[in-house]
Amino acid sequence: MTGRTEWPGDSSDSSRAGKELSPQDPAERARAICLRLLTGTPRTRKQLADALRKREIPDEVAEEVLSRFEDVGLIDDAAFAGAWVESRHHGRGLARRALARELRTKGVEPTLIQEAVEQLDSDREEATARELVARKLRATRGLERDRRLRRLAGMLARKGYPEGMALRVVRQALEAEGEDTDGLDESF
């Protein structure tokens, strides 16, 4: 038999098991917590610091452990931000503004955020906006022009695209479909 039988009251919960097995030394506990969190996915220094604080690791111990992890390359907020931007732009079609907002919530420093979002140039961002509109355009056929415009531009706005770019991309897509776009600028 490969697994063990679990009985009510057994502590198979990883956090309880980790507390039972980990030494009482806060630095060892902090290292174990960080390593476990980094195993699944990359994390920012702030995310790890928050996790250590939540588990009542003293701040000075947490700072020491996090600094050591940075020194050896296990924590790299710049690499995290770059990978995040690439992944979320490619996978979800998010624009620079939305990506910057997400990175801020993850605790990445503003200079690192700026460097990461600068990976996306305006042309690439606009090309992605066009792809998103092209996919959604089919679902809006049959609706009145203004309603289509609102839905498509709203979708781009939620993904962080600037209003001017969103309206331009949507207008061009509607024109390519043969929609009359005269007067769109006045109504929006």
Side-chain angles (χ1 to χ4, degrees):
M1 184 175 235
T2 59
R4 70 177 189 96
T5 305
E6 292 185 31
W7 300 97
D10 281 356
S11 62
S12 63
D13 177 31
S14 64
S15 64
R16 277 195 245 152
K19 287 179 185 171
E20 291 171 6
L21 299 175
S22 67
Q24 296 303 314
D25 178 28
E28 284 298 317
R29 283 187 47 228
R31 281 191 282 278
I33 290 166
C34 288
L35 287 172
R36 187 177 69 246
L37 289 172
L38 288 168
T39 299
T41 183
R43 310 236 183 205
T44 65
R45 181 183 175 107
K46 182 185 180 310
Q47 288 175 311
L48 292 171
D50 290 347
L52 294 176
R53 193 171 304 110
K54 181 179 170 187
R55 289 172 178 85
E56 299 177 357
I57 301 293
D59 288 342
E60 60 278 354
V61 173
E63 181 62 33
E64 180 184 318
V65 169
L66 293 172
S67 293
R68 179 67 181 139
F69 273 44
E70 267 184 333
D71 291 344
V72 298
L74 291 173
I75 302 173
D76 185 348
D77 283 359
F80 175 90
W84 186 267
V85 165
E86 184 62 33
S87 170
R88 301 286 284 177
H89 178 74
H90 179 70
R92 303 269 324 258
L94 298 181
R96 289 181 279 204
R97 186 173 51 193
L99 293 165
R101 183 177 53 244
E102 286 185 350
L103 288 171
R104 274 192 301 277
T105 65
K106 302 237 177 256
V108 178
E109 293 179 21
T111 56
L112 297 177
I113 292 172
Q114 185 65 33
E115 291 171 12
V117 297
E118 284 177 356
Q119 293 178 58
L120 295 177
D121 61 8
S122 306
D123 294 338
R124 182 172 173 199
E125 193 174 40
E126 189 165 328
T128 301
R130 288 182 197 291
E131 291 170 15
L132 291 168
V133 168
R135 276 188 262 157
K136 184 83 169 175
L137 198 60
R138 290 185 283 282
T140 64
R141 286 196 183 113
L143 298 176
E144 64 182 50
R145 180 198 68 182
D146 289 351
R147 193 170 196 185
R148 290 180 86 188
L149 176 70
R150 281 193 304 273
R151 282 199 183 171
L152 295 168
M155 179 257 313
L156 290 178
R158 286 187 297 279
K159 291 184 177 286
Y161 289 89
E163 181 182 358
M165 178 192 291
L167 291 174
R168 182 177 64 251
V169 167
V170 171
R171 187 180 327 106
Q172 290 169 352
L174 292 175
E175 285 173 355
E177 263 201 351
E179 282 274 2
D180 176 24
T181 59
D182 290 339
L184 281 182
D185 294 333
E186 295 86 38
S187 61
F188 292 95

